Short mmCIF file of all heavy atoms in Angstrom, two decimals:
data_model
loop_
_atom_site.label_atom_id
_atom_site.label_comp_id
_atom_site.label_asym_id
_atom_site.label_seq_id
_atom_site.Cartn_x
_atom_site.Cartn_y
_atom_site.Cartn_z
N VAL Q 173 -210.07 9.15 11.04
CA VAL Q 173 -209.96 9.40 12.55
C VAL Q 173 -210.48 8.18 13.22
O VAL Q 173 -211.63 7.81 13.11
CB VAL Q 173 -210.77 10.65 12.90
CG1 VAL Q 173 -210.60 10.85 14.43
CG2 VAL Q 173 -210.26 11.88 12.17
N GLN Q 174 -209.58 7.50 13.96
CA GLN Q 174 -209.93 6.28 14.64
C GLN Q 174 -210.24 6.54 16.12
O GLN Q 174 -209.74 7.45 16.74
CB GLN Q 174 -208.80 5.27 14.54
CG GLN Q 174 -208.53 4.75 13.17
CD GLN Q 174 -207.48 3.67 13.08
OE1 GLN Q 174 -206.63 3.60 14.00
NE2 GLN Q 174 -207.45 2.88 12.01
N ALA Q 175 -211.17 5.70 16.74
CA ALA Q 175 -211.49 5.80 18.10
C ALA Q 175 -210.37 5.46 18.97
O ALA Q 175 -209.80 4.39 18.89
CB ALA Q 175 -212.69 4.97 18.36
N PRO Q 176 -209.94 6.29 19.96
CA PRO Q 176 -208.84 6.00 20.84
C PRO Q 176 -209.21 5.02 21.95
O PRO Q 176 -208.35 4.40 22.55
CB PRO Q 176 -208.46 7.35 21.45
CG PRO Q 176 -209.74 8.14 21.36
CD PRO Q 176 -210.50 7.68 20.13
N TYR Q 177 -210.52 4.82 22.22
CA TYR Q 177 -211.03 3.85 23.23
C TYR Q 177 -212.48 3.59 22.98
O TYR Q 177 -213.11 4.25 22.15
CB TYR Q 177 -210.82 4.45 24.65
CG TYR Q 177 -211.21 5.95 24.80
CD1 TYR Q 177 -212.55 6.34 24.87
CD2 TYR Q 177 -210.26 6.94 24.83
CE1 TYR Q 177 -212.93 7.65 24.98
CE2 TYR Q 177 -210.56 8.26 24.93
CZ TYR Q 177 -211.92 8.64 25.02
OH TYR Q 177 -212.31 9.93 25.11
N ASP Q 178 -213.08 2.65 23.68
CA ASP Q 178 -214.46 2.33 23.60
C ASP Q 178 -215.23 3.53 24.18
O ASP Q 178 -214.82 4.09 25.26
CB ASP Q 178 -214.82 1.08 24.39
CG ASP Q 178 -214.14 -0.20 23.78
OD1 ASP Q 178 -213.47 -0.04 22.68
OD2 ASP Q 178 -214.24 -1.23 24.40
N GLY Q 179 -216.37 3.92 23.55
CA GLY Q 179 -217.14 4.94 24.12
C GLY Q 179 -218.36 5.25 23.34
O GLY Q 179 -218.84 4.36 22.56
N GLN Q 180 -218.89 6.48 23.49
CA GLN Q 180 -220.07 6.89 22.76
C GLN Q 180 -219.85 8.31 22.20
O GLN Q 180 -219.04 9.04 22.74
CB GLN Q 180 -221.24 6.96 23.73
CG GLN Q 180 -221.75 5.59 24.15
CD GLN Q 180 -222.85 5.71 25.18
OE1 GLN Q 180 -222.60 5.93 26.41
NE2 GLN Q 180 -224.08 5.58 24.77
N VAL Q 181 -220.62 8.61 21.14
CA VAL Q 181 -220.59 9.98 20.59
C VAL Q 181 -221.52 10.87 21.38
O VAL Q 181 -222.67 10.62 21.58
CB VAL Q 181 -221.00 9.91 19.09
CG1 VAL Q 181 -221.04 11.38 18.53
CG2 VAL Q 181 -220.07 9.08 18.28
N VAL Q 182 -220.95 11.98 21.88
CA VAL Q 182 -221.74 12.96 22.63
C VAL Q 182 -222.43 13.92 21.60
O VAL Q 182 -223.59 14.23 21.69
CB VAL Q 182 -220.87 13.75 23.57
CG1 VAL Q 182 -221.67 14.82 24.25
CG2 VAL Q 182 -220.25 12.80 24.61
N GLN Q 183 -221.58 14.50 20.70
CA GLN Q 183 -222.10 15.50 19.75
C GLN Q 183 -221.23 15.55 18.51
O GLN Q 183 -220.00 15.39 18.57
CB GLN Q 183 -222.14 16.85 20.38
CG GLN Q 183 -222.78 17.95 19.57
CD GLN Q 183 -222.79 19.34 20.24
OE1 GLN Q 183 -222.19 19.47 21.27
NE2 GLN Q 183 -223.42 20.30 19.65
N ARG Q 184 -221.90 15.66 17.37
CA ARG Q 184 -221.18 15.93 16.13
C ARG Q 184 -220.97 17.47 15.94
O ARG Q 184 -221.86 18.26 16.08
CB ARG Q 184 -222.04 15.41 14.91
CG ARG Q 184 -221.97 13.97 14.72
CD ARG Q 184 -222.76 13.65 13.41
NE ARG Q 184 -222.64 12.25 13.01
CZ ARG Q 184 -223.15 11.78 11.90
NH1 ARG Q 184 -223.82 12.61 11.09
NH2 ARG Q 184 -223.03 10.49 11.58
N LYS Q 185 -219.73 17.78 15.64
CA LYS Q 185 -219.41 19.19 15.36
C LYS Q 185 -219.31 19.46 13.81
O LYS Q 185 -219.19 20.65 13.44
CB LYS Q 185 -218.06 19.54 16.01
CG LYS Q 185 -218.09 19.46 17.53
CD LYS Q 185 -219.04 20.50 18.15
CE LYS Q 185 -218.98 20.44 19.68
NZ LYS Q 185 -219.90 21.46 20.25
N ALA Q 186 -219.39 18.42 13.04
CA ALA Q 186 -219.34 18.52 11.58
C ALA Q 186 -220.22 17.50 11.04
O ALA Q 186 -220.63 16.55 11.72
CB ALA Q 186 -217.91 18.47 11.01
N GLN Q 187 -220.52 17.56 9.70
CA GLN Q 187 -221.41 16.57 9.06
C GLN Q 187 -220.75 16.04 7.81
O GLN Q 187 -219.86 16.68 7.25
CB GLN Q 187 -222.72 17.21 8.69
CG GLN Q 187 -223.54 17.75 9.94
CD GLN Q 187 -223.96 16.66 10.90
OE1 GLN Q 187 -224.13 15.57 10.52
NE2 GLN Q 187 -224.00 17.03 12.17
N PRO Q 188 -221.15 14.91 7.31
CA PRO Q 188 -220.60 14.31 6.15
C PRO Q 188 -220.77 15.34 4.94
O PRO Q 188 -221.76 16.08 4.84
CB PRO Q 188 -221.38 13.02 5.86
CG PRO Q 188 -221.82 12.66 7.24
CD PRO Q 188 -222.04 13.93 8.02
N PHE Q 189 -219.73 15.35 4.05
CA PHE Q 189 -219.73 16.13 2.80
C PHE Q 189 -219.36 17.64 3.07
O PHE Q 189 -219.35 18.45 2.16
CB PHE Q 189 -220.99 15.98 2.02
CG PHE Q 189 -221.42 14.57 1.78
CD1 PHE Q 189 -222.55 14.12 2.31
CD2 PHE Q 189 -220.68 13.76 0.99
CE1 PHE Q 189 -223.03 12.82 2.08
CE2 PHE Q 189 -221.05 12.47 0.80
CZ PHE Q 189 -222.26 11.99 1.36
N GLU Q 190 -219.07 17.93 4.40
CA GLU Q 190 -218.64 19.34 4.66
C GLU Q 190 -217.13 19.38 4.51
O GLU Q 190 -216.43 18.33 4.76
CB GLU Q 190 -218.96 19.73 6.07
CG GLU Q 190 -220.47 19.97 6.27
CD GLU Q 190 -220.80 20.41 7.69
OE1 GLU Q 190 -219.89 20.42 8.51
OE2 GLU Q 190 -221.94 20.80 7.94
N SER Q 191 -216.59 20.50 4.09
CA SER Q 191 -215.16 20.71 4.04
C SER Q 191 -214.71 21.46 5.27
O SER Q 191 -215.31 22.48 5.63
CB SER Q 191 -214.79 21.49 2.79
OG SER Q 191 -215.12 20.79 1.59
N VAL Q 192 -213.73 20.88 5.95
CA VAL Q 192 -213.26 21.49 7.21
C VAL Q 192 -211.78 21.84 7.15
O VAL Q 192 -211.08 21.31 6.27
CB VAL Q 192 -213.43 20.43 8.38
CG1 VAL Q 192 -214.90 20.20 8.64
CG2 VAL Q 192 -212.70 19.19 8.18
N ALA Q 193 -211.37 22.78 7.95
CA ALA Q 193 -210.04 23.20 7.98
C ALA Q 193 -209.22 22.32 8.98
O ALA Q 193 -209.80 21.64 9.81
CB ALA Q 193 -209.92 24.70 8.38
N SER Q 194 -207.90 22.39 8.88
CA SER Q 194 -207.09 21.69 9.84
C SER Q 194 -207.27 22.21 11.21
O SER Q 194 -207.26 23.40 11.46
CB SER Q 194 -205.58 21.83 9.42
OG SER Q 194 -204.75 21.21 10.36
N GLY Q 195 -207.49 21.35 12.19
CA GLY Q 195 -207.74 21.72 13.58
C GLY Q 195 -209.18 21.94 13.90
O GLY Q 195 -209.49 22.21 15.03
#
Side-chain angles (χ1 to χ4, degrees):
V173 179
Q174 294 183 339
Y177 45 76
D178 297 352
Q180 293 175 277
V181 176
V182 177
Q183 185 181 7
R184 281 184 174 185
K185 297 295 184 178
Q187 299 298 329
F189 310 114
E190 290 182 353
S191 295
V192 297
S194 177

